[in-house]
Amino acid sequence: MALDDQKGSFKFIGTRPNRPDGLDKVTGRARFGADAHASGMLHAAILRSPHAHARIKNIDTSRAEAAKGVKAIVTRADFTRSLQPAPGMKGENWNILENVMAGDTALYDGHAVAAVAATSALAAKDALKLIEVEYEPLPHVTDVDKAMQTDAPVIREGVAAGTVPKGLHPNVAGYHESGHGDVEAGFAEADLVVEDHFVTEATHQGYIEPHACLAQLGADGKGELWCCTQGHWNVQKVCAALLDLETSQLRVTASEIGGGFGGKTAVFIEPVALALSRKANRPVKLVMSRAEVFHATGPTSSTSMDVKIGMKKDGTITAAQGVFRLQGGAFPGAPADMTAMCAFAPYALKNVHQIGYDVMTNRPKQAAYRAPGSPMAAFAVESVIDELCKQLDLDPIDTRLKNASHEGTKASYGPTFQRIGLVETLEAAKAHPHYTAPLEPGQGRGISCGFWFNHGGETAVSLALSEDGTVQLAVGTPDIGGSRASMALMAAEVLGVPYDDIRVIIADTASLGYNEISHGSRVTYASGLATIKAAEDAVKKLCARAAAKWGIPEDAVKWEDGYAVPSGPNAGEFPPMPIAEITRKMGATGGPICGHFEATPEGAGVSFATHIVDSEVDPETGKTSVVRYTVVQDAGKAIHPTYVEGQFQGGAAQGIGWALNEEYIYGEDGRLQNPLFLDYRIPVASDLPMIDTVIVEVPNPGHPYGVRGVGETSICPPLAAIANAVSAAAGVRMRQLPMSPPRILEALEEQAADG
């Protein structure tokens, strides 16, 4: 059956059952990272640099070691024999180690330099005060543009990728260039060319649960680790490399996770807790404070971007060009390549060119945050398109429809798109009542499209049938967006058993094959595909058991709604055999019945969204309010529509914070000035409107049920849509995020001064 024809044929897919983890979470039974406990455990604390950039000349831990209750202290020397990369310790593992514990140089305000394990959290914190560190302050830079200037202090020598053109500052760690056609010829064809500069500040994922772990590592090299993470196999692999352990000897269990959004795909504190445990020969618990989370765990990159687009009077885009500079902290890895590739992806362009620079600064190592790099690119590109539409008096949705990418479009970054749903999202947005609703005085409306790649990745799933016909499903991807419910629904669809008869668990690293991190909007796609295949594997075995009992060939039996039935009249007449009858006797008919699937699926399918935003600006105070918001996004197939809508709304809510309030603020001394939620303001309920959602379903041909990931695309359009709405309401183009009241007032004053 074609994917388009399956829309009304599902029994479980598309329904909205209760979430399986809901009761535990509302009653407090769910165990998060900081809930882990072990007999005799110690408590850890980390000493962090007060300097943005400083040479560490000496660390004296003697007084701290003699303090009451202190059982172990570690510095960089406890990870490597020297400060240079050890054999086998190369690339990103070396960067992670440099971030986890500073070597000869503290690279940012909050960089870890030592850690203590003691009998209480208070004793550990008190001991930090007794550690004497001799620093030699060095010149620092926290701004991405200044970090590229010839006189900028060098953050780390010799880490630039081979793709970086010669002559650039050593702080430029990576370079991306792509496109096709002749942009200069395209600009010559245009009736109007708009070129502008845009800036965004770094923002944090803002998860409510800080990083936390409990580590136990013995002298025999065998260890256990419990932590809040989006990918415990990655934690296992990285920690084993940093501590020179056999990977198989470290068992990692993922706790429930109190928010991640990409920020818990990285490793920050787990190797420190393991090193302390190995030295103390006791379990060690380490929980970050909120200030530590802001100081030392990956925010997004800040950006400096230049975008130039040419357009004809009829709305045809003739050429597009962008330069995107992103800082990733004191380490390579800013997603400049993805920013560049996402920038013009929504549009079918004959002439396009994009460049991305990955730049190092004296800031913490950046980490993913829902579609890393894409929201910033959309802000710049969609703002310029909005300005072109305004100056040429064109409808913003019709213009985007005229240029929209579709099946067969050669993407700006290279490949040819297969079946995609951007046009459908634009059409749905145009048909939505929001688009034509009247605006009040002082209000403006903004439109934006957004794009994300989505991802497959290594995936393993195991499904076991119980004697009563119920199902135990083990997956390896931590549930950060409702995936346990989605997996149960897909297994129920294949097996024909009730949703409530399927229990989904997140297996530890010793219980299942390798699973890539829950990132890249991959889980419902990849783990879902694996769940379907594992269930089909179990169905094949169930049919074989029924065939053996009936004495007919296996291919003469098929599976329908939880029953084995003859595949046709020639197979014989037998009453349907329910799953419980087969499983009840499986011990005597061949043993346990299980289904397995392991693969690296590669048909994730890209995703697009269109957002409509109404904003209101008070010209006297600069205060901005988002008064109406509509998300239209292609989900391929919504397995659990409530979860899908929640992802849409969550991305919009976080985008509102990013666009209007959230930013990392560094002083002249290079130190972070707002490391608490008191000063780093994320949206609260009173800041948000009701967020309407429209689920578009253009099936992804790479998934049996047509699924596309939805968790990241939803944060791609908000920055631009809100900026376009605010610019319309204020009557002045806003080019810097966040659009805080002082920035809006400054823009209004500059406009008034210019006449």
Side-chain angles (χ1 to χ4, degrees):
M1 181 183 293
L3 286 172
D4 286 330
D5 297 332
Q6 287 188 357
K7 283 191 174 181
S9 65
F10 293 112
K11 182 177 180 181
F12 297 102
I13 300 303
T15 62
R16 302 172 184 256
N18 291 335
R19 55 190 296 166
D21 56 327
L23 184 61
D24 284 350
K25 286 181 175 173
V26 300
T27 59
R29 288 201 306 249
R31 298 190 68 199
F32 293 87
D35 293 326
H37 181 87
S39 179
M41 76 179 187
L42 303 174
H43 297 264
I46 295 177
L47 181 66
R48 300 186 178 277
S49 167
H51 302 285
H53 196 195
R55 185 169 291 110
I56 301 173
K57 302 185 72 174
N58 184 56
I59 301 178
D60 184 351
T61 62
S62 57
R63 291 176 61 215
E65 289 169 357
K68 183 178 180 181
V70 172
K71 301 299 181 183
I73 297 177
V74 297
T75 62
R76 178 61 171 271
D78 293 278
F79 292 88
T80 55
R81 290 190 176 90
S82 73
L83 297 178
Q84 299 304 313
M89 179 78 71
K90 297 178 181 179
E92 183 60 8
N93 280 343
W94 181 251
N95 291 324
I96 294 171
L97 177 58
E98 282 277 273
N99 187 43
V100 163
M101 190 64 66
D104 58 1
T105 306
L107 298 170
Y108 58 90
D109 170 33
H111 199 171
V113 297
V116 175
T119 51
S120 71
L122 183 60
K125 291 176 182 177
D126 285 344
L128 295 183
K129 302 171 186 176
L130 302 177
I131 298 176
E132 298 174 5
V133 183
E134 184 181 352
Y135 293 102
E136 178 189 339
L138 299 171
H140 65 270
V141 60
T142 58
D143 178 80
V144 63
D145 288 320
K146 292 179 180 178
M148 296 179 70
Q149 294 174 3
T150 55
D151 59 348
V154 176
I155 310 301
R156 298 170 69 207
E157 292 277 9
V159 299
T163 57
V164 177
K166 292 182 179 179
L168 293 178
H169 193 284
N171 289 341
V172 180
Y175 177 85
H176 170 89
E177 184 173 5
S178 58
H180 55 256
D182 184 338
V183 292
E184 293 306 321
F187 288 131
E189 293 177 17
D191 293 312
L192 177 64
V193 175
V194 171
E195 184 175 8
D196 219 332
H197 178 69
F198 300 89
V199 174
T200 69
E201 236 318 327
T203 56
H204 200 272
Q205 299 84 356
Y207 36 77
I208 302 303
E209 177 196 24
H211 293 263
C213 67
L214 175 63
Q216 185 166 346
L217 180 59
D220 58 359
K222 295 182 179 181
E224 297 268 355
L225 181 66
W226 297 265
C227 58
C228 50
T229 177
Q230 291 177 234
H232 40 310
W233 271 269
N234 180 63
V235 173
Q236 178 196 45
K237 179 173 63 176
V238 170
C239 288
L242 268 55
L243 293 162
D244 195 24
L245 303 173
E246 291 289 340
T247 304
S248 62
Q249 298 304 302
L250 178 61
R251 181 185 183 189
V252 183
T253 302
S255 68
E256 290 287 350
I257 185 169
F261 315 111
K264 289 176 181 170
T265 59
V267 171
F268 296 112
I269 61 173
E270 293 84 0
V272 177
L274 284 164
L276 286 166
S277 176
R278 179 165 62 182
K279 200 165 188 178
N281 199 28
R282 298 262 293 273
V284 172
K285 184 174 181 176
L286 180 51
V287 181
M288 274 186 156
S289 68
R290 181 60 59 186
E292 287 182 295
V293 168
F294 275 111
H295 271 108
T297 71
T300 65
S301 299
S302 59
T303 70
S304 168
M305 304 173 287
D306 296 297
V307 169
K308 181 179 180 181
I309 300 176
M311 186 177 285
K312 291 184 176 180
K313 291 179 181 178
D314 67 356
T316 302
I317 298 176
T318 60
Q321 190 173 52
V323 178
F324 306 92
R325 295 167 288 270
L326 283 75
Q327 64 80 23
F331 308 87
D337 53 348
M338 290 187 283
T339 302
M341 289 190 285
C342 289
F344 303 108
Y347 303 108
L349 304 174
K350 291 183 179 179
N351 307 294
V352 60
H353 183 238
Q354 53 263 333
I355 293 174
Y357 293 95
D358 172 7
V359 184
M360 293 183 295
T361 65
N362 293 114
R363 294 197 186 200
K365 192 179 193 309
Q366 74 87 40
Y369 180 13
R370 292 184 101 153
S374 182
M376 302 88 106
F379 164 55
V381 170
E382 297 288 317
S383 293
V384 172
I385 290 177
D386 188 72
E387 188 63 31
L388 285 161
C389 291
K390 180 181 177 182
Q391 293 190 34
L392 292 173
D393 194 25
L394 297 170
D395 181 89
I397 288 187
D398 286 341
T399 302
R400 286 169 171 84
L401 276 168
K402 188 178 189 68
N403 297 282
S405 292
H406 49 79
E407 185 174 3
T409 293
K410 179 178 173 61
S412 58
Y413 59 94
T416 298
F417 287 131
Q418 297 185 26
R419 183 101 188 265
I420 56 175
L422 175 59
V423 168
E424 287 81 353
T425 68
L426 283 163
E427 290 173 341
K430 186 174 182 179
H432 197 281
H434 183 174
Y435 190 56
T436 53
L439 290 166
E440 298 291 333
Q443 294 181 352
R445 179 164 295 146
I447 303 295
S448 176
C449 295
F451 164 84
W452 185 243
F453 307 97
N454 292 336
H455 181 55
E458 296 166 271
T459 309
V461 162
S462 183
L463 182 150
L465 300 179
S466 302
E467 289 185 341
D468 60 0
T470 58
V471 182
Q472 315 296 318
L473 177 62
V475 301
T477 40
D479 184 351
I480 60 171
S483 59
R484 279 172 290 198
S486 297
M487 299 306 115
L489 284 168
M490 284 184 267
E493 194 69 47
V494 175
L495 293 168
V497 302
Y499 167 85
D500 290 333
D501 283 357
I502 300 174
R503 182 172 186 178
V504 184
I505 66 163
I506 311 301
D508 62 58
T509 57
S511 306
L512 200 61
Y514 186 91
N515 274 265
E516 197 173 312
I517 300 167
S518 292
H519 68 162
S521 296
R522 80 176 207 88
V523 175
T524 305
Y525 164 73
S527 289
L529 184 149
T531 293
I532 293 167
K533 297 296 185 183
E536 290 174 346
D537 184 29
V539 162
K540 184 177 180 181
K541 295 169 184 176
L542 287 163
C543 288
R545 300 291 174 96
K549 181 173 181 179
W550 290 335
I552 60 176
E554 291 182 16
D555 59 5
V557 179
K558 64 180 181 179
W559 195 258
E560 289 184 351
D561 293 329
Y563 293 84
V565 298
S567 59
N570 293 333
E573 293 190 8
F574 302 97
M577 187 179 298
I579 188 171
E581 182 178 336
I582 301 172
T583 56
R584 185 168 61 249
K585 300 176 182 178
M586 61 186 177
T589 59
I593 299 176
C594 300
H596 304 278
F597 188 78
E598 303 82 24
T600 304
E602 297 180 350
V606 299
S607 177
F608 294 87
T610 300
H611 290 199
I612 312 171
V613 178
D614 293 352
S615 290
E616 188 172 83
V617 176
D618 184 336
E620 294 186 356
T621 64
K623 181 181 184 297
T624 297
S625 301
V626 177
V627 295
R628 188 169 182 180
Y629 204 117
T630 300
V631 177
V632 187
Q633 185 172 325
D634 175 21
K637 178 60 187 176
I639 301 300
H640 192 302
T642 300
Y643 275 122
V644 171
E645 291 163 352
Q647 291 290 340
F648 289 5
Q649 292 164 333
Q654 289 178 314
I656 289 171
W658 195 338
L660 299 182
N661 297 308
E662 298 182 41
E663 63 177 324
Y664 268 43
I665 300 173
Y666 281 90
E668 291 295 323
D669 58 359
R671 302 193 67 184
L672 182 62
Q673 296 183 335
N674 60 332
L676 295 170
F677 280 142
L678 278 174
D679 300 307
Y680 180 96
R681 189 173 178 277
I682 63 173
V684 296
S686 58
D687 296 314
L688 302 174
M690 297 300 292
I691 299 171
D692 199 5
T693 60
V694 178
I695 300 174
V696 172
E697 294 184 322
V698 177
N700 169 26
H703 187 276
Y705 296 160
V707 167
R708 297 181 196 271
V710 300
E712 293 177 274
T713 309
S714 56
I715 204 172
C716 301
L719 310 189
I722 298 165
N724 289 338
V726 170
S727 297
V732 60
R733 175 61 56 186
M734 298 302 300
R735 301 174 178 86
Q736 183 174 359
L737 299 184
M739 295 174 290
S740 58
R743 287 203 177 108
I744 290 176
L745 290 176
E746 182 181 2
L748 290 171
E749 290 169 1
E750 288 179 357
Q751 184 185 57
D754 293 340

